[in-house]
């Protein structure tokens, strides 16, 4: 990839797990009442036909990885588990009262933090408590994020018995220097064990998270990590670009210096070399930063054009309604977004008052809904079209003007009423989405709020 393209397009930009992106939510036009109304509307429209998704945030981690951008609480006090599970079940109960009809659950994802921080008994209590008030869809998918260092065989078996068939493990990088810098010692043997156990128990999809652009990471480290990963043949891989956002995460990411982090074309070379190695090992690229073996369900949805993207990243099954439970979780009713209280004590206090702990959100305008669909199309299928009148939008001329320059740079081709991203343009998909982002166009951020696109 050309260095001049990287210099030109390496700007701060969103990862588009939502549109509008969180810093552009219009909080003045949002209220808990509106959230409840759009939630109910979406539920009534979609529960019977496709069911709903649940994202449950389990925030605790035993130690802090200094590169981590997730919302977590570092503690060794496992007595925090029980009150947290009770609170999440109370939150679910408040939603069930509001929805009136029994929810049909299509998808559950346990994210974190570290879901496997929790004991088997508490995870069982959580899932059984949730399912006691719901029906399960026929083609349901339950998945969780496991930390290889504390996922036990018993965790895997218990969650399998509850219906979980997908697991993703955080790996990041196997090099000692990198692991020390990010304060995460992640032995290969441990990852091999948890991968093997999941396979023996019958999990259908095992995924590993790798990250490029970590402090001190060089080309050799990336290639070695990919070769070791390939020896375990996970069905799926996330190959994330390290999001260096120290201004948001406070001291967490300051365990190393800015100059220890690979940047620009050096960082991009890590991705390019890693991608080449993954393709050589038989993995296929899908969407942004994701790879899978041909038989993986998500790769099949990518090929069928049905891949979807939400706050959890990519998913093969889309539901119109996703309810997020637990601190900091984001819910999506399609017509509006809502985010929960991030502070644990304030979250508990809200639930003690029998209130849904939503603190901010955004109601999507008709224009937002169209632009969101274009951005989803680009992120999931690398193309989008405005041939249907319902997909046309007011500032199309200005958007196309910006796309013409990208066409000249070989990133995409513009046809009468659609654009298609070229192979060369795929690494710049975030920049291409930014051309459609009318909120960003109208109000440029005054300080850096997003990570760099490359
Ligand atoms: C919640 S963690 C995974 C589960 C478990 N806590 C663990 O670490 O194994 C989610 C994943 O997000 C990715 N991640 C976290 N912080 C990141 C950052 N700053 N940039 C890119 N990826 C990041 C990592 O790959 C990590 O495995
Ligand atoms: S990477 Fe995982 S274990 Fe480490 S701090 Fe982040 S959420 Fe916790």
């Amino acid at each position: 990839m050309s260095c001049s393209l990287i210099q030109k397009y390496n700007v701060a930009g969103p990862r588009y797990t939502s549109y509008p992106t969180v810093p552009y939510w219009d909080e003045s036009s949002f209220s808990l009442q509106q959230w409840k109304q759009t939630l109910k509307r979406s539920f009534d429209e979609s529960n019977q036909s496709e069911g709903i998704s649940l994202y449950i945030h389990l925030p605790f981690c035993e130690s802090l990885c200094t590169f981590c951008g997730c919302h977590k609480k570092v503690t060794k006090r496992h007595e925090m588990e029980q009150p947290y599970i009770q609170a999440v079940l109370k939150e679910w109960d408040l939603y069930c009262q509001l929805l009136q009809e029994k929810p049909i659950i299509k998808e559950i994802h346990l994210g974190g933090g570290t879901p496997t921080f929790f004991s088997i008994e508490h995870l069982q209590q959580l899932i059984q408590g949730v399912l006691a008030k719901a029906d399960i869809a026929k083609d349901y998918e339950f998945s969780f994020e496991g930390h290889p260092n504390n996922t036990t065989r018993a965790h895997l078996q218990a969650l399998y018995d509850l219906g979980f068939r997908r697991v993703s493990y955080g790996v990041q990088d196997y090099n000692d220097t990198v692991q020390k810098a990010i304060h995460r010692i992640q032995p290969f043997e441990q990852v091999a064990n948890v991968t093997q156990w999941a396979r023996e128990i019958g999990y259908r999809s095992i995924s590993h998270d790798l990250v490029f652009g970590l402090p001190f990471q060089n080309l050799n480290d990336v290639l070695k990590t990919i070769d070791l990963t390939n020896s375990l043949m996970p069905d799926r891989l996330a190959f994330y670009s390290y999001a260096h956002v120290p201004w948001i995460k406070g001291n967490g990411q300051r365990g190393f210096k800015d100059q220890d982090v690979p940047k620009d074309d050096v960082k991009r070379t890590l991705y390019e070399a890693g991608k080449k190695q993954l393709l050589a090992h038989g993995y296929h690229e899908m969407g942004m930063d994701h790879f899978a073996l041909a038989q993986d369900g998500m790769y099949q949805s990518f090929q069928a054009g049905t891949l979807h993207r939400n706050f959890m990243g990519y998913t093969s099954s889309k539901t119109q309604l996703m309810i997020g439970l637990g601190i900091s979780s984001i819910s999506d009713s399609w017509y509006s977004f809502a985010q929960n209280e991030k502070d644990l004590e304030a979250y508990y206090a809200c639930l003690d008052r029998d209130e849904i702990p939503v603190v901010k959100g955004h109601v999507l305008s008709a224009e937002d809904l169209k632009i969101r669909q274009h951005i989803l199309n680009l992120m999931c299928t690398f193309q989008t079209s405005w041939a249907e009148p319902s997909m046309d939008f007011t500032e199309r001329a200005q958007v196309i003007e910006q796309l013409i320059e990208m066409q000249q740079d070989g990133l995409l081709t513009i046809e009468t009423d659609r654009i298609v991203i070229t192979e060369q343009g795929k690494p710049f998909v975030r920049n291409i989405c930014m051309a459609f982002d009318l909120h960003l166009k109208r109000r440029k951020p005054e300080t850096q709020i997003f990570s760099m696109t490359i």
Side-chain angles (χ1 to χ4, degrees):
M1 186 192 307
S2 119
C3 293
S4 58
L5 280 183
I6 294 172
Q7 274 152 14
K8 179 167 176 185
Y9 288 105
N10 191 16
V11 295
R15 288 177 177 230
Y16 292 109
T17 50
S18 76
Y19 180 82
T21 55
V22 179
Y24 285 92
W25 286 2
D26 177 6
E27 292 176 43
S28 62
S29 67
F30 177 85
S31 67
L32 183 58
Q33 202 45 39
Q34 266 173 317
W35 164 240
K36 289 182 182 172
Q37 274 164 11
T38 57
L39 169 88
K40 190 77 177 71
R41 172 181 168 195
S42 197
F43 180 76
D44 293 342
E45 285 172 2
S46 64
N47 186 45
Q48 287 300 329
S49 54
E50 58 178 28
I52 72 164
S53 300
L54 279 189
Y55 169 76
I56 307 180
H57 193 72
L58 298 172
F60 306 123
C61 300
E62 285 215 345
S63 92
L64 176 72
C65 311
T66 54
F67 78 103
C68 178
C70 305
H71 190 84
K72 72 269 169 194
K73 282 211 137 339
V74 178
T75 180
K76 289 203 164 47
R77 293 176 49 221
H78 283 264
E79 62 271 26
M80 308 274 282
E81 293 181 26
Q82 177 66 23
Y84 190 79
I85 298 292
Q86 287 311 324
V88 170
L89 288 175
K90 168 88 180 270
E91 188 185 357
W92 177 233
D93 191 36
L94 293 176
Y95 272 111
C96 291
Q97 286 172 33
L98 186 73
L99 298 173
Q100 292 167 343
E101 188 187 298
K102 223 177 185 189
I104 300 172
I105 297 185
K106 172 85 188 294
E107 207 177 312
I108 297 182
H109 182 76
L110 305 182
T114 303
T116 46
F117 174 96
F118 286 76
S119 70
I120 291 158
E121 294 68 30
H122 287 142
L123 291 172
Q124 283 168 330
Q125 203 179 327
L126 172 69
I127 302 303
Q128 283 161 355
V130 165
L131 296 181
K133 295 200 167 69
D135 288 327
I136 306 180
K138 213 161 60 258
D139 50 353
Y140 69 94
E141 279 188 5
F142 295 173
S143 55
F144 73 98
E145 293 167 19
H147 193 315
N149 293 355
N150 65 13
T151 301
T152 61
R153 192 177 178 121
H155 271 118
L156 286 161
Q157 186 64 57
L159 287 166
Y160 183 88
D161 294 343
L162 289 164
F164 286 74
R165 296 292 179 269
R166 295 182 186 281
V167 56
S168 61
Y169 295 120
V171 172
Q172 330 313 348
D173 186 285
Y174 285 117
N175 178 274
D176 288 346
T177 310
V178 176
Q179 292 196 358
K180 277 193 198 113
I182 62 172
H183 197 241
R184 182 190 175 99
I185 303 304
Q186 189 54 79
F188 172 75
E189 294 66 33
Q190 199 63 41
V191 181
N193 281 343
V194 292
T195 301
Q196 182 62 20
W197 293 336
R199 204 161 271 146
E200 283 166 10
I201 289 170
Y203 280 78
R204 268 203 314 269
S205 176
I206 302 166
S207 180
H208 289 188
D209 298 339
L210 309 182
V211 178
F212 68 93
L214 289 169
F216 303 109
Q217 194 183 39
N218 64 33
L219 204 60
N220 244 348
D221 303 330
V222 168
L223 296 180
K224 181 123 192 267
T225 296
I226 287 180
D227 285 348
L228 283 168
T229 302
N230 181 57
S231 70
L232 303 176
M233 283 187 75
D235 307 272
R236 198 184 287 176
L237 273 165
F239 189 36
Y240 292 122
S241 164
Y242 168 49
H244 187 52
V245 286
W247 62 90
I248 294 183
K249 295 294 163 187
N251 289 334
Q253 291 193 346
R254 293 198 199 276
F256 43 85
K257 298 191 195 73
D258 275 3
Q259 61 264 34
D260 302 329
V261 178
K263 283 181 202 65
D264 297 328
D265 40 328
V266 178
K267 181 175 183 188
R268 202 62 217 173
T269 312
L270 299 179
Y271 179 77
E272 292 298 324
K275 171 176 162 178
K276 205 166 150 212
Q277 189 85 336
L278 284 168
L279 298 182
H281 286 315
Y283 284 89
H284 300 271
E285 191 180 23
M286 53 177 182
M288 187 181 75
D289 301 346
H290 280 68
F291 294 83
L293 294 174
Q295 69 272 17
D296 186 72
M298 198 186 271
Y299 180 64
Q300 285 164 6
S301 13
F302 172 64
Q303 282 202 306
T306 56
L307 194 65
H308 182 62
R309 185 169 171 84
N310 58 25
F311 289 101
M312 296 174 271
Y314 286 107
T315 152
S316 44
S317 59
K318 171 185 176 291
T319 60
Q320 179 172 307
L321 176 60
M322 183 177 84
I323 297 179
L325 304 175
I327 55 168
S328 78
S329 288
I330 297 180
S331 301
D332 176 359
S333 71
W334 195 253
Y335 305 110
S336 64
F337 297 123
Q339 182 164 31
N340 274 357
E341 179 59 68
K342 290 183 179 170
D343 178 78
L344 195 57
E345 293 312 318
Y347 172 76
Y348 288 157
C350 244
L351 290 164
D352 283 344
R353 295 192 299 270
D354 289 340
E355 283 169 22
I356 288 182
V358 158
V359 285
K360 67 175 191 174
H362 177 90
V363 180
L364 282 89
S365 64
E367 179 192 88
D368 287 342
L369 287 165
K370 284 183 195 180
I371 298 293
R372 171 196 207 173
Q373 192 57 56
H374 283 298
I375 287 182
L376 273 174
N377 293 346
L378 291 167
M379 294 296 276
C380 298
T381 65
F382 292 123
Q383 53 181 294
T384 194
S385 154
W386 47 90
E388 292 292 322
S390 64
M391 287 299 283
D392 207 356
F393 53 100
T394 43
E395 289 172 44
R396 179 159 59 82
Q398 288 96 308
V399 171
I400 302 232
E401 205 175 303
Q402 201 175 340
L403 295 178
I404 289 174
E405 192 178 336
M406 294 185 172
Q407 176 168 245
Q408 284 158 358
D409 286 333
L411 307 189
L412 48 90
T413 53
I414 306 173
E415 296 166 15
T416 325
D417 45 21
R418 65 179 203 138
I419 64 160
V420 180
I421 301 180
T422 59
E423 207 46 47
Q424 166 152 269
K426 284 182 182 175
F428 299 100
V429 59
R430 285 164 72 181
N431 302 77
I432 298 167
C433 290
M434 282 166 77
F436 283 79
D437 187 335
L438 301 183
H439 285 277
L440 192 65
K441 276 192 161 45
R442 289 173 193 149
R443 182 166 55 88
K444 294 259 178 287
E446 282 157 20
T447 53
Q448 190 177 346
I449 49 177
F450 298 113
S451 61
M452 302 301 276
T453 51
I454 305 295

